[in-house]
Structure formats: C-alpha cells, structure tokens
Amino acid sequence: MIVLLLMLAGGAALVITGIVQGRPGTAIFGGVVLVFLLWGLATGGSGDDDDCGDAGDGDA
C-alpha cells in the first residue's frame, strides 16, 4: 500500500514540477506514471492468481 501512495505522490510531484518549471517532458512523464498507476488499480481484480490454473480445477 505504501508503494502505491509513493507512486501517486511521485507522479503528482512530477506533473506539478513539470508545469511550474515549464518542462513538458517531465509533466508528461508524471502523467504517464499516474495513468499507469490508475490503470493498474482499475484492472487489478481481486488479487487471486486466477491466470495460473492448478491441478485442482480440472485444467490438468
């Protein structure tokens, strides 16, 4: 959880720093970090390992 908060703060800091200092590359990079973080949170699912079937669920 702390890693998510640090990534969120870091991405926001990059966006703000890029805007204030007039560096569009930094702002865009911060925006990409934020979008990646939000995309990961939105599609994260339940956290179960559903992709890797095991012998108990009839796949093997």
Side-chain angles (χ1 to χ4, degrees):
M1 185 67 175
I2 190 73
V3 173
L4 295 175
L5 292 175
L6 289 174
M7 284 184 65
L8 182 64
L14 285 172
V15 169
I16 293 169
T17 302
I19 291 172
V20 169
Q21 293 184 354
R23 296 179 181 226
T26 303
I28 291 170
F29 180 69
V32 168
V33 169
L34 290 176
V35 167
F36 180 74
L37 177 66
L38 295 176
W39 171 75
L41 289 173
T43 61
S46 63
D48 291 339
D49 196 12
D50 295 336
D51 295 359
C52 302
D54 58 11
D57 65 359
D59 289 339

